[in-house]
Amino acid sequence: MKLVVKVIEARNIPAMDLNGYSDPYVRINLGKQRFRTKVVKKCLNPYWGDEFSFRVDDLSDELVISVLDEDKYFNDDFVGFVKFPVSKVFDSPDKSLPTAWYPLLPKSEICLHICLSQNSSYMDLSNITAAPSQRNDNVDSESFSTASRSSSPSRLEAASSANKNDECLTNKFEPSEISKLQVSEGRSDDLVSPASFDDLMKTMEGKDQGIELPTNLPGGVLLDQLYLATSSDLNALLFSPDSKFPVALAEFQGKTEIHFGPWEFENENLVRLNTYLTAPSKISKSLKAFETQTYKLANGKSFAILVSVSTPDVIYGSTFRVEMLYCITPGPELPSGEQSSRLLASWGMNFVQSTMMKGMIENGARPAVKESFEQFSTLLSQHVNPVDLKGTGSQKDQVLASLQAEPQSDWKLAVQYFANFTVVSTIIIGTYVLFHICLTAPSTIQGLEFVGLDLPDSIGEVIVCGVLVLQVKRMFELVARFIQARSQKGSDHGIKAQGDGWLLTVALIEGSNLAAVDSSGFSDPYVVFTCNGRIRTSSIKFQKLDPQWNEIFEFDAMDEPPSVLEVEVFDFDGPFDEATSLGHAEINFLKANVSELADIWIPLQGKLAQAWQSKLRLRIFVDDTRGGNAIREYLEKMEKEVGKKISRRSPQTNSAFQKLFCLPPEEFLINDFTCHLKRKMPLQGRLFLSPRVIGFNASLFGHKTNFFILWEDVEDIQVASPNLSSMGSPIVVITLRKGRGLDAKHGAKTQDAEGRLKYYFHSFVSFTMAHRTIMALWKARSLSPEQKVKIVEEDTETTSLQTEESGTFVGDEDISMTEVYSSALSVPMNFLMELFSGGDVDKRVMERTGCLNYSCSPWELDKDVYERQVCYNFDKRISSYKGEVTSMQQKSPLPDKNGWLVEEILTLHGIPLGDCFNLHLRYQIEDRAKGCYVKVSFGIAWLKRNKHQKRISKNILSNLVDRLKVMFATVEKEYVNGR
């Protein structure tokens, strides 16, 4: 007979190390048999999932399970332990203790599953019960019998199986009996007796101590819907043990072996543990899942349930848990008089262990979670009717309608504001002086006094007069500040936005832990919102560190969706002093999901805000009131500024653009241009322009460069004269505002003394078109009307080249390289490398192959490889267009051979359809005994789709092979002549 122990996980392990973590492991003893689990580094909620088997020789033995913290230099620290007599497991139904949490310390717990298994049949095992007296003499069964009776599983009969050896007997009954059996010595009083779900909800309601509804999880909102049911009915439908909806949902989602545990109190929270097998998918098989549901709030009207799902069998499954938060609150009363409730579900990833795979895990879990909630929403709408938002107003209107501004009485605020030491001391001193004047006779004129001028007669009187003046000045400032603040109250609140376009609505709910800067230990905070040059100001809250505003601000309609909302909190210091900043924040709509902004806590930045951990709670809504014609109207406006028709891009092109820069769906591509980004070395890539951003993407030798900057961050755009480094083309220099664009710093060439980043772009195929488009978008987005008047628009008209910056953006793809030339040359490798040196041999060979005006930069070492830039023109023999070629070359030693690897990327300018592709060449040169061996591979990187791709590829390949033959033949001739 064997005893099988499965150590699943633990939680709330105390921090034993100085770094605030522990390195826990479990040691299991049964007689002289010992086992231990693996050590989980730096974790307070470890997961093991290890299973151990012990040979049972005596039912009087005790199973001891200890949790320890590993210490490399000293003895391991003891955390806690639990004991189980083997006879207790033997006497239990089905010879097993179900999966349960067992206490180690007042807050620490461990999850275990213990059962007996046998090598013979179940009937043979029953023969061991012939000696009950032997078991009872050595087992303290009294302390465990209470725990066994207090648990509330609805157990089923276990069917014996004579053909399955070494199988845990727990598998023979429905695991819906899984209960969180709290077993420990002296802890039986903490266990709860079976109770109905309604009784448990009433118990939770009685324990409510003003707990607030939890905020949304950081992963985003999955479902936000009103339903035609009360909040308590909706809660019972979703989580009651008697409800059929959870079972129907599990079957609808393809889950099997579903086991729902009973609801039980644990650490003042109502908890239950469910297990099931997930449905198999295209990328994973069916997995075992452990789901813990915990009531965080249940006050009879509002409910908050946190669901934590652990899948230990998946890769890195022990490092994370998927969490979902269900918030059920009363909804608005419908026009028919019926009650409604609001279900708000959000999700997030809880990493219990640090791992480098966080990004990949989150990206992999997000689609699965969203698909699961789509199924949840579909099935829930079949059980309870969702409320049609069209008949009751939009979601924004419903959310904002529930906000009620805090009533502010002027007299109450005045008493609260003036009830301080300064005011009280001034009144006392002023009253004292007034009585003194009334009780004393006028003093005689003496010293330098004359009638009407009464001077102090001692130093004490001078000090008293000074104190009086300072007190009166302070009182005057306080009164003036209060009057000005009250005149500002709600000045922007309730002002409706005007016009059609993008409408931004911001609801300022509350603040938390704002910094105290007044001598009273409080602040007088107010908030300033800035978006697209428009400013909205909240009312001032006197003497508050956790103010409640509940104010709504609307910004006038904008032609383009807003990019950034700037938020700054100030302390009101009166009409004469400069306001003190309590913190600031920036909400980037391009990087944030709009649905996540419906209710968000934003941390404030700044020294004071970070020291106090200040936060603001906002509700932000962005709507487009113009419908589907917004893009067409914007492009028509840009066409007038640019002076050329702009075609609307296809949905596939826009989707590729949004995916490339991780932009929201409302952002659309206006135009894109082939150009070079000038840094230490020019980098050929593609510039993308949209209403809110200017982005650049390139891939050079496998290294990708990808960034974007906001038009609002651009302070100045200048055009520099052409030079050799810009390959003879003008340079567009974009300068950002100070402190802006730091996440795109890697794309800037320089940073001036003021800390402003500068970006250099050149070698546009159609410079005039690119420059006019860039200037038009910048002026439309970033400049104020006054600045637009000062800038003189360029009226120079130039004929564009035969190629137009149009087509479909394909994006970066792996380049397929094909060997096009190989030969053994009777030339030493060192002489052949003169072909890439920039010397006389290099120039003569290039001229012989039809390359005119050849120029190159010296080789520069960059990250263990050498780089240089080459520029030349084709003569008529190669191209009738006499196009210009710019290329980037890299050379590096071959890793395992005596030789060099030279890689080259060529860009063609002034040639029809030359902006649709780049040419990639790879020269592999190896040293041989009587010369060298050279192999050339070739590939084409298509930047745009073109119907002439096959013809272009064939033409380039034939010309390239001819050039390579001439090139290496010329090298051999130069070597012979040089000898």
Side-chain angles (χ1 to χ4, degrees), residues 818-823 825 934-937 961 964-965 968-969:
T818 305
E819 182 179 334
V820 295
Y821 179 86
S822 62
S823 176
L825 305 178
V934 61
K935 182 174 68 175
V936 182
S937 301
V961 172
L964 291 174
K965 292 179 180 179
F968 292 111

Side-chain angles (χ1 to χ4, degrees), residues 1 153 163 303 306 356 386 552 568 595 603 624 677 697 800 965:
M1 184 170 59
N163 298 324
F303 305 88
L306 180 65
M356 297 177 62
I552 304 171
E568 188 159 10
S595 62
D624 185 11
L677 172 68
N697 177 266
S800 61
K965 292 179 180 179

Side-chain angles (χ1 to χ4, degrees), residues 723-836:
N723 53 43
L724 178 61
S725 64
S726 67
M727 307 172 192
S729 67
I731 306 174
V732 177
V733 182
I734 297 179
T735 304
L736 302 189
R737 304 180 191 276
K738 182 179 180 181
R740 297 290 187 173
L742 296 180
D743 54 346
K745 187 177 180 179
H746 59 281
K749 183 179 185 297
T750 59
Q751 188 173 7
D752 60 14
E754 299 180 6
R756 300 179 301 178
L757 298 175
K758 292 180 177 290
Y759 298 81
Y760 289 70
F761 301 97
H762 61 89
S763 300
F764 292 93
V765 174
S766 177
F767 174 79
T768 302
M769 177 63 179
H771 180 249
R772 290 181 66 87
T773 306
I774 291 173
M775 294 299 295
L777 289 171
W778 178 48
K779 289 185 290 185
R781 186 75 194 185
S782 179
L783 301 182
S784 63
E786 294 78 11
Q787 290 174 315
K788 293 178 183 178
V789 174
K790 294 180 182 179
I791 295 181
V792 179
E793 297 186 4
E794 298 180 1
D795 296 326
T796 306
E797 296 290 342
T798 58
T799 57
S800 61
L801 298 176
Q802 296 184 28
T803 57
E804 288 293 339
E805 295 290 340
S806 61
T808 303
F809 166 64
V810 180
D812 291 316
E813 298 177 355
D814 294 334
I815 308 303
S816 176
M817 304 294 289
T818 305
E819 182 179 334
V820 295
Y821 179 86
S822 62
S823 176
L825 305 178
S826 59
V827 177
M829 186 185 67
N830 293 336
F831 187 83
L832 182 61
M833 289 304 296
E834 291 291 325
L835 184 61
F836 305 100

Side-chain angles (χ1 to χ4, degrees), residues 503-543:
L503 181 65
L504 173 62
T505 304
V506 181
L508 173 61
I509 309 300
E510 59 184 317
S512 175
N513 299 327
L514 300 184
V517 296
D518 293 346
S519 58
S520 60
F522 293 95
S523 298
D524 304 326
Y526 67 96
V527 184
V528 176
F529 299 97
T530 306
C531 183
N532 287 359
R534 300 178 177 91
I535 299 176
R536 296 290 183 267
T537 306
S538 74
S539 60
I540 301 169
K541 297 297 179 179
F542 288 111
Q543 306 295 288

Side-chain angles (χ1 to χ4, degrees), residues 217-276:
L217 297 180
V221 176
L222 297 169
L223 178 64
D224 190 357
Q225 178 66 47
L226 290 176
Y227 291 96
L228 191 60
T230 62
S231 57
S232 58
D233 291 342
L234 183 59
N235 171 65
L237 174 68
L238 297 180
F239 299 103
S240 174
D242 300 330
S243 174
K244 298 181 180 179
F245 176 79
V247 178
L249 176 64
E251 295 176 351
F252 184 67
Q253 294 177 340
K255 299 174 182 177
T256 57
E257 298 187 20
I258 312 148
H259 312 127
F260 294 99
W263 286 104
E264 295 181 352
F265 278 101
E266 185 176 301
N267 296 332
E268 302 298 326
N269 290 324
L270 195 58
V271 182
R272 77 169 174 179
L273 176 65
N274 305 330
T275 60
Y276 53 84

